[in-house]
Amino acid sequence: MVELKTDTSIDAMHEAGRIVGRALTAVRAAADVGVSLLELDEVAREVLREAGAASPFLGYRPSFAPTPFPAVICASVNDAIVHGIPTRHRLRDGDLVSIDCGAELNGWAGDSAISFVVGTPRAADLRLIDTAERALNAGIEAAVVGNRIGDIAHAIGSVCRAAGYGIPDGFGGHGIGRRMHEDPPVPNEGRPGRGLPLRHGMVLAIEPMLIAGGKDDYHAAPDGWTLRTNDGSRAAHAEHTVAITETGPRILTARN
């Protein structure tokens, strides 16, 4: 069941989204060669603490997970696509890092993700990240009243496929509100004009995930959480929480 949010509720979600944006900005600023993923998680925890917000990630355990998630960010490095658990791994020059973060404030959730390179970037990684951002923007531009979920999916998938990248099968965005994951699912590839009609008050987490090698295959790492590319190629992830309104899409997790 899809819950339509009131304008007041969307404003409240924006407050949660602003905290997510601050956390991601702080993590990006702290990420450097030699910094551990656990240290980045602590940076995000401090932002949440200062804002009086909780983490929807910490302790989260969906049906596929062997254990509750132990951190407030997902930190996925190089061939990790999403759901990477922060560890003592210290970042190396040239690592491609995807950070996913959420916040809960006054009963409302926000969710967003960024990808970046630590140290000296490879041109191929910058192109991959740029394409993820362009796919995200295309999905957001399609998130307008009168369109359908398939229009968002088609916009994202078209950008990814035109660049020659793979799209992890079965993973995509989702509705969001009182809980981090709500209906409807938002695929990263699909047919335009199909699926649920978009209405004022729907709030979606739109999140392209790209595999550099061009294949869609992936596997779960031994930790049961981290998804890695089968071919060992790198991956990128971008995400915003977006409200669909009569005046156009409203990004609730914008970063300074």
Side-chain angles (χ1 to χ4, degrees), residues 10 45 48 66 72 103 130 172 188 227 236 245:
I10 291 172
R45 287 176 189 254
L48 297 183
V72 305
D130 177 70
N188 285 329
L227 301 184
T245 77

Coordinates of all heavy atoms in Angstrom, one line a residue, residues 10 45 48 66 72 103 130 172 188 227 236 245:
I10 N 5.8 16.1 4.2 CA 6.9 16.2 3.3 C 7.9 17.2 3.9 O 9.2 17.0 3.8 CB 6.5 16.6 1.9 CG1 5.7 15.5 1.3 CG2 7.6 17.1 1.1 CD1 5.0 15.8 -0.1
R45 N 27.8 8.9 12.6 CA 27.1 8.8 13.9 C 27.1 10.1 14.7 O 26.1 10.5 15.3 CB 27.8 7.7 14.8 CG 27.5 6.3 14.3 CD 28.3 5.3 15.1 NE 28.3 3.9 14.6 CZ 27.6 2.9 15.2 NH1 26.9 3.1 16.3 NH2 27.6 1.7 14.6
L48 N 24.4 12.5 13.3 CA 23.1 12.0 13.8 C 22.9 12.4 15.2 O 21.8 12.9 15.6 CB 22.9 10.5 13.5 CG 22.9 10.0 12.1 CD1 22.7 8.5 12.1 CD2 21.9 10.8 11.2
P66 N 21.7 -12.3 7.4 CA 21.9 -13.2 8.5 C 22.1 -12.6 9.9 O 21.9 -13.3 10.9 CB 23.3 -13.9 8.1 CG 23.9 -12.8 7.3 CD 22.8 -12.1 6.6
V72 N 25.7 2.8 10.8 CA 24.8 3.8 10.4 C 25.0 4.2 8.9 O 24.2 5.0 8.4 CB 24.8 5.1 11.3 CG1 24.6 4.7 12.8 CG2 26.1 5.9 11.1
A103 N 18.5 8.7 8.0 CA 18.3 9.3 9.3 C 16.8 9.3 9.6 O 15.9 9.3 8.6 CB 18.7 10.8 9.3
D130 N 30.0 9.8 -12.7 CA 29.2 10.9 -13.4 C 27.9 10.3 -14.0 O 26.9 10.9 -14.0 CB 30.1 11.5 -14.5 CG 29.3 12.5 -15.3 OD1 28.9 13.6 -14.8 OD2 29.0 12.3 -16.5
G172 N 16.8 -1.8 -6.6 CA 16.5 -0.5 -7.1 C 16.0 0.4 -5.9 O 16.3 0.1 -4.8
N188 N 15.4 0.1 -11.5 CA 16.3 0.9 -12.3 C 16.3 0.7 -13.8 O 17.2 1.2 -14.5 CB 17.7 0.7 -11.7 CG 17.9 1.4 -10.4 OD1 17.3 2.5 -10.1 ND2 18.7 0.9 -9.5
L227 N 27.0 -6.7 -1.5 CA 26.8 -7.3 -2.8 C 28.0 -6.8 -3.7 O 28.4 -5.6 -3.7 CB 25.5 -6.7 -3.4 CG 24.3 -7.1 -2.7 CD1 23.1 -6.5 -3.5 CD2 24.1 -8.5 -2.4
A236 N 29.2 1.9 -8.8 CA 28.8 3.2 -8.2 C 27.3 3.3 -7.9 O 26.5 2.5 -8.5 CB 29.2 4.4 -9.2
T245 N 5.4 16.3 -6.3 CA 4.5 17.4 -6.0 C 3.9 17.9 -7.3 O 4.4 17.7 -8.4 CB 5.1 18.5 -5.2 OG1 5.9 19.3 -6.1 CG2 6.0 18.0 -4.1

